[in-house]
Amino acid sequence: MTSKTPQQEVSAAEEHAEFMQRMQADLIDSYDEELEMEIDDRAFDETGRGVFSAEQRTQRRAYFKELFRLQGELVKLQDWVVATKHKAVIIFEGRDAAGKGGVIKRITQRLNPRVCRVAALPAPNDRERTQWYFQRYISHLPAGGEIVLFDRSWYNRAGVERVMGFCSDDEYEEFFRSVPEFEKMLVRAGIQVIKYWFSITDEEQHTRFLGRIHDPLKQWKLSPMDLESRRRWEDYTKVKETMMERTHIEEAPWWVVQAVDKKKARLNCMAHLLAQMPYHEVEHAPVTLPPRERHEDYARQPVPPEMVVPEIY
């Protein structure tokens, strides 16, 4: 075994340092994904300087620190779900602009979409309207080792369908007769059912709707149904109260997330979700990256210039 020359040792050290810098840059880039989701153009003045106060900057640092910690715990939860073949359904309900989508994004951001997936069903088509009401949701239920997050769920019947007159009185009553038994069946089949309601005030919804109206990046979030829900605030309050009274069961209770403060709501929901499952860190065998095979008869072919995306940035 020959020893390295001083020059070789210096070169190896430089290569290692460069490699570690690339690894750190990749890690920071992954965290920047979250920062990109949070930074709003209006957080800066016309000179490009940030307009956050020192206290706000401190609060934001604390938020991101805790968010990344909770996302790390969610990765551990994911490993445990896969290892134990656990099955979980997590339902997110609440008024329009209550922040359901925001917390779903943070939960799923660093998880494997094959393990933790989102079901956000559109309005039923003509065929689905003639099916058993729960039928179109069943195909989205989890198998062993999966978590499914429902961004709105079968509780549409108890909310928007009731308020907007999309279901009859008989269908509405049948829903309340059926849903407790349906959810008990899921639990007996080994599917954990967790239900969250995101609660905001009248004033906060008004503010968020105005923000969507004036922000071109968010206008797509406003549908005619959303605007109508604003007018019918009290109707939605009444049906929400009825829904919780008639579907808050021991096997699948409702949990209310106070969501006026979006960031606190995300952290509180994620921490509560983690507490609902007896997960633990799953040990993995050490991963060893195999050496790349190289063959003398292989030559990489150049990419035709016309196929290359222009580098304008």
Side-chain angles (χ1 to χ4, degrees):
M1 182 176 177
T2 60
S3 59
K4 293 182 179 180
T5 66
Q7 291 85 355
Q8 289 174 325
E9 290 180 351
V10 170
S11 178
E14 291 174 345
E15 288 179 3
H16 179 72
E18 182 183 353
F19 171 75
M20 294 304 296
Q21 287 178 349
R22 292 201 308 269
M23 291 287 290
Q24 185 177 25
D26 184 68
L27 178 64
I28 293 173
D29 183 65
S30 70
Y31 288 153
D32 282 347
E33 294 175 17
E34 178 63 34
L35 296 173
E36 288 171 12
M37 293 168 64
E38 285 296 326
I39 293 175
D40 191 303
D41 289 340
R42 288 164 296 184
F44 301 88
D45 61 22
E46 60 277 4
T47 67
R49 292 194 298 267
V51 296
F52 291 116
S53 66
E55 182 181 1
Q56 288 172 323
R57 287 194 294 272
T58 299
Q59 291 173 345
R60 284 171 65 82
R61 281 195 294 270
Y63 163 73
F64 285 117
K65 181 179 180 180
E66 184 63 7
L67 176 68
F68 296 146
R69 185 190 73 80
L70 291 171
Q71 288 180 329
E73 290 300 310
L74 285 168
V75 172
K76 296 177 186 177
L77 171 65
Q78 171 184 256
D79 289 346
W80 175 83
V81 165
V82 173
T84 61
K85 301 300 181 184
H86 190 72
K87 296 176 282 189
V89 162
I90 307 168
I91 289 172
F92 294 85
E93 294 285 347
R95 296 183 188 275
D96 295 310
K100 302 179 294 298
V103 74
I104 290 172
K105 286 179 183 177
R106 274 70 183 183
I107 290 172
T108 60
Q109 187 177 6
R110 307 192 189 282
L111 302 184
N112 185 342
R114 294 183 179 87
V115 176
C116 182
R117 54 189 166 83
V118 179
L121 277 62
N125 58 35
D126 291 341
R127 181 176 181 275
E128 289 170 334
R129 291 190 185 96
T130 67
Q131 294 176 343
W132 176 48
Y133 178 69
F134 297 98
Q135 188 169 337
R136 72 192 195 111
Y137 294 100
I138 289 176
S139 63
H140 296 276
L141 294 175
E146 294 179 354
I147 303 172
V148 177
L149 282 59
F150 278 92
D151 186 354
R152 296 199 180 277
S153 65
W154 44 84
Y155 282 100
N156 277 342
R157 175 138 295 177
V160 62
E161 289 192 17
R162 178 60 172 175
V163 173
M164 301 303 295
F166 296 156
C167 66
S168 67
D169 291 346
D170 288 343
E171 289 172 329
Y172 181 66
E173 284 302 317
E174 178 58 32
F175 171 80
F176 283 127
R177 284 192 293 268
S178 299
V179 73
E181 295 306 317
F182 175 66
E183 291 177 354
K184 289 176 184 178
M185 285 171 53
L186 297 182
V187 173
R188 288 198 300 271
I191 300 176
Q192 183 177 9
V193 180
I194 304 171
K195 302 185 300 197
Y196 289 114
W197 175 269
F198 281 70
S199 179
I200 56 173
T201 62
D202 185 354
E203 294 78 10
E204 182 63 21
Q205 188 190 53
H206 177 73
T207 300
R208 293 183 187 181
F209 273 5
L210 289 179
R212 291 181 177 184
I213 289 171
H214 296 290
D215 187 342
L217 298 182
K218 295 181 179 179
Q219 285 178 359
W220 64 270
K221 293 184 176 184
L222 277 177
S223 70
M225 206 70 68
D226 296 334
L227 299 176
E228 186 63 18
S229 74
R230 180 62 194 152
R231 188 174 71 84
R232 302 196 187 201
W233 171 276
E234 293 181 0
D235 292 337
Y236 274 93
T237 298
K238 293 174 184 176
V239 298
K240 181 262 291 188
E241 292 170 348
T242 301
M243 178 191 76
M244 289 198 166
E245 179 184 349
R246 300 185 67 174
T247 63
H248 180 69
I249 60 175
E250 182 179 355
E251 293 83 354
W254 279 103
W255 300 98
V256 177
V257 179
Q258 300 298 334
V260 170
D261 187 315
K262 290 182 180 180
K263 289 184 172 59
K264 289 182 179 179
R266 294 166 192 161
L267 300 181
N268 288 332
C269 184
M270 293 165 72
H272 184 270
L273 174 60
L274 288 164
Q276 300 311 298
M277 302 186 205
Y279 77 97
H280 56 80
E281 188 166 1
V282 176
E283 291 188 11
H284 296 283
V287 178
T288 301
L289 190 66
R292 178 193 179 291
E293 292 185 354
R294 299 180 184 278
H295 302 279
E296 295 294 334
D297 60 347
Y298 170 76
R300 183 177 179 179
Q301 299 301 312
V303 177
E306 63 271 16
M307 292 177 60
V308 177
V309 174
E311 296 188 13
I312 61 175
Y313 297 106

